[in-house]
Amino acid sequence: QAPPVESGGGSVQAGGSLRLSCSASGYPTKWAYCHGWVRQRPGHEREEVADINNAQVPTYAASVKGRFTIGKDYVKDKVDLVMTNLRPEDTGMYYCAARRCRDTTYLITGKGTQVTVSP
């Protein structure tokens, strides 16, 4: 199974926006996989940022709620993360992740895409 592949990311100033995209066709919805985004920030452990289940119900980390929006194309198995009002503390590597919907632990992530937010 092909791992998720992320795109997007880049460098922005604080207050700016970015859109991350992920192709997760190797872990498709039709095989009962759910998807989300995790990040690794400098000096921090990897953390879940956003997740969306097959009922299209999103969940967010408290630190990004109200600023980030996760969306999924259930036919194409593409997962987007729209990030607004970015802060320097959002800087890090962002990974698209897949899990079996019955589980809470992600099975696999992509190689990641870098997000850098300058003050």
Side-chain angles (χ1 to χ4, degrees):
Q1 291 173 267
V5 178
E6 303 93 344
S7 61
S11 298
V12 295
Q13 289 188 323
S17 300
L18 284 173
R19 184 186 194 99
L20 307 182
S21 296
C22 170
S23 175
S25 58
Y27 290 80
T29 302
K30 64 183 178 182
W31 292 353
Y33 287 103
C34 289
H35 303 90
W37 290 87
V38 300
R39 68 183 178 186
Q40 179 82 58
R41 298 182 292 162
H44 291 79
E45 293 187 358
R46 184 171 289 195
E47 60 180 333
E48 180 179 318
V49 175
D51 184 275
I52 188 164
N53 65 19
N54 277 349
Q56 302 187 38
V57 177
T59 56
Y60 299 96
S63 58
V64 306
K65 200 168 187 178
R67 300 187 298 121
F68 291 12
T69 303
I70 187 170
K72 181 173 174 179
D73 182 327
Y74 286 83
V75 174
K76 297 180 179 179
D77 287 303
K78 292 188 182 295
V79 189
D80 286 353
L81 185 68
V82 177
M83 306 182 294
T84 63
N85 193 19
L86 282 160
R87 305 167 180 168
E89 55 264 37
D90 293 317
T91 294
M93 284 293 289
Y94 284 69
Y95 302 87
C96 181
R99 61 178 173 88
R100 290 200 178 276
C101 293
R102 65 175 184 261
D103 297 330
T104 57
T105 303
Y106 291 119
L107 287 173
I108 190 168
T109 65
K111 293 184 178 180
T113 185
Q114 177 68 35
V115 171
T116 302
V117 185
S118 57

